[in-house]
Amino acid sequence: RSPAKRYEKGKGRVTFDDVAGMGSAKRELTEMVGELKNPGKFTRIGAAVPKGALLVGPPGTGKTLLAKAVAGEANVPFFAISGSEFIQMFVGVGASRVRDMFRTAKEHSPCVIFIDEIDAVGRMRGAGYGGGSDEREQTLNQILSEMDGFQPTETVIVMAATNRPDVLDAALLRPGRFDRHITVDRPTWKGRLEILKVHTRNKPLSDLVDLERVARGMVGMSGAELKNLCNEAALLAVRSGRNKIEQVDFDRAADRVRLGSQREEPFSH
Ligand code: ATP
């Protein structure tokens, strides 16, 4: 069984154009893209390119999408794993999974590794119930030692995502590890408008649809919810026997998306 979800070069490629808004996050990641495209470009002149970036923000705000787009911009492979996969594994299994993933990544250098929900393994050691689990600590230690163990010829950028940076073990945040933090917040109305434009790109909209009005109305929605909104609106249009999406479809879809997210996230604030 392969150690991580893997996306080959070129296939299902996502680029910065698919990520709406997030201008400053993209700017912060351009050096990493440059180094992946042309390994040694920065290091040759003695500039240290950060090899780890922590994407911090609430669920559904596009952290995974952004990490994928870094790989896609440089057209290099992307390897993804989630911290939650390590929960309840037998001792040693998580660490060997991590080792396998880094080994495969090194063989495919230059490339990107993405660890979603890093807080599931990266919580402060010794701070959990009953002193924390051995399994989790071993997995975390393996991640730390892998990040320290790259050869200069290996260009592997490691990105991780969390919505709980406050619980992370300080060792993860040291220089040379996840020392660059990029905030990925819920979008403003302008961000929402950009996201709506991306997700209606291939959908027929009636000339009467005012996307700006839709964007202004969807206060608090994440990118993932806006994507759902566009899909729901399209479904409603089809169900009404129309071949174009009308404003009313967005209004009705908004109620569904809001109800849906309440059901999925009963404890969200
Ligand atoms: P989680 O923390 O729940 O894993 P996430 O922050 O990684 O969430 P993604 O999985 O990247 O969020 O986002 C889910 C989907 O929402 C994306 O695949 C994309 O279609 C859409 N989306 C989110 N943000 C944006 C954005 N800024 N531009 C375009 N699409 C977006």
Side-chain angles (χ1 to χ4, degrees), residues 9-264:
K9 254 172 139 165
K11 280 191 209 148
R13 187 173 169 194
V14 169
T15 65
F16 281 161
D17 277 347
D18 299 300
V19 186
M22 295 204 212
S24 66
K26 290 180 195 168
R27 273 192 296 282
E28 287 201 60
L29 293 166
T30 48
E31 285 156 26
M32 286 183 171
V33 172
E35 186 64 21
L36 286 166
K37 265 190 189 160
N38 184 357
K41 180 179 174 188
F42 290 89
T43 42
R44 265 198 299 272
I45 59 160
V49 174
K51 58 185 176 204
L54 187 68
L55 307 179
V56 178
T61 46
K63 300 182 290 299
T64 307
L65 187 71
L66 191 61
K68 251 187 214 174
V70 167
E73 280 289 317
N75 203 17
V76 300
F78 177 76
F79 299 91
I81 204 160
S82 172
S84 59
E85 289 169 36
F86 296 115
I87 292 168
Q88 290 185 336
M89 272 187 182
F90 290 111
V91 173
V93 176
S96 78
R97 200 58 78 76
V98 168
R99 202 177 309 121
D100 287 349
M101 180 172 66
F102 277 81
R103 189 191 306 123
T104 313
K106 286 175 193 172
E107 287 165 10
H108 290 80
S109 161
C111 67
V112 174
I113 285 180
F114 178 63
I115 309 173
D116 203 1
E117 298 180 65
I118 186 131
D119 43 285
V121 280
R123 279 174 189 260
M124 274 166 266
R125 283 168 291 188
Y129 295 67
S133 85
D134 286 348
E135 168 51 22
R136 202 171 50 74
E137 291 199 5
Q138 281 194 16
T139 308
L140 173 57
N141 289 335
Q142 191 66 37
I143 293 173
L144 296 174
S145 78
E146 293 289 349
M147 288 193 77
D148 294 340
F150 289 121
Q151 301 299 317
T153 50
E154 292 163 342
T155 306
V156 179
I157 300 281
V158 188
M159 305 182 78
T162 184
N163 54 359
R164 293 296 311 275
D166 52 311
V167 301
L168 294 182
D169 196 288
L172 274 171
L173 309 176
R174 287 210 187 105
R177 294 173 182 162
F178 297 104
D179 46 1
R180 182 164 292 202
H181 296 185
I182 295 169
T183 306
V184 182
D185 265 329
R186 282 181 199 275
T188 60
W189 80 263
K190 280 192 178 147
R192 294 196 293 274
L193 179 59
E194 294 308 311
I195 295 170
L196 288 170
K197 283 183 186 160
V198 166
H199 289 285
T200 51
R201 247 178 347 208
N202 302 315
K203 295 184 175 67
L205 290 187
S206 145
D207 293 339
L208 299 173
V209 169
D210 180 354
L211 278 187
E212 185 177 319
R213 205 189 102 196
V214 178
R216 285 187 186 274
M218 302 302 148
V219 177
M221 273 201 196
S222 68
E225 287 166 333
L226 291 164
K227 178 191 183 177
N228 275 345
L229 178 81
C230 295
N231 285 332
E232 286 289 340
L235 286 175
L236 288 169
V238 173
R239 261 180 233 152
S240 309
R242 281 181 271 107
N243 55 14
K244 285 197 170 160
I245 305 174
E246 299 286 348
Q247 191 80 29
V248 61
D249 297 319
F250 282 103
D251 295 340
R252 284 163 58 201
D255 296 336
R256 291 178 173 227
V257 171
R258 289 210 179 92
L259 277 174
S261 59
Q262 269 170 26
R263 227 174 290 133
E264 279 159 28

